[in-house]
Amino acid sequence: AMASQTVITVQPQFSAAQQPGEWQTGLLDCCSDCGVCLCGMFCFLCLDCQVAGDMDECCLCGSSVAMRTLYRTRYNIPGSILGDFCSVFWCTPCSLCQLKRDINRRKALGIF
């Protein structure tokens, strides 16, 4: 005799929809954290590795489109892959600095 098997026909759903997030600072809000800004301008590779390390990814991918998209979707920040590409392609240092500022602020708030 075979044991009866339950067939799952509906995927489990989250009980509450995740609220839309937002960036903690704007793309060009460099003066809101001068330390991050200076690091991004004068030691870009250091900041790149810091962001990658914060995200548990390999070094030098912190400024990638994939990293920005991963972060944005993780925190439910509205946007698109095209928008991420444009930010990274045309404003690479600003994009990386925004990401690091956001990580720092979320760490300080205990929500990273």
Side-chain angles (χ1 to χ4, degrees):
M2 291 179 44
S4 64
Q5 294 185 358
T6 303
V7 178
I8 297 173
T9 57
V10 178
Q11 291 295 320
Q13 301 292 319
F14 291 107
S15 59
Q18 188 179 11
Q19 295 299 311
E22 59 185 32
W23 290 105
Q24 303 293 309
T25 60
L27 185 63
L28 302 176
D29 286 345
C30 295
C31 295
S32 65
D33 189 328
C34 292
V36 169
C37 184
L38 290 171
C39 187
M41 295 311 296
F42 297 107
C43 193
F44 181 83
L45 295 178
C46 296
L47 191 61
D48 203 12
C49 284
Q50 283 180 31
V51 168
D54 289 336
M55 297 286 289
D56 292 324
E57 297 291 337
C58 68
C59 201
L60 300 181
C61 67
S63 60
S64 68
V65 175
M67 184 69 70
R68 188 173 176 87
T69 301
L70 172 69
Y71 187 87
R72 192 176 47 71
T73 54
R74 180 177 291 174
Y75 292 102
N76 208 22
I77 299 169
S80 66
I81 294 174
L82 178 60
D84 295 334
F85 171 80
C86 290
S87 296
V88 170
F89 187 78
W90 281 295
C91 300
T92 307
C94 294
S95 172
L96 184 63
C97 288
Q98 179 188 36
L99 191 50
K100 182 60 178 166
R101 287 192 307 270
D102 209 88
I103 289 169
N104 290 348
R105 289 185 182 209
R106 287 180 192 275
K107 282 181 176 179
L109 293 169
I111 57 173
F112 179 73

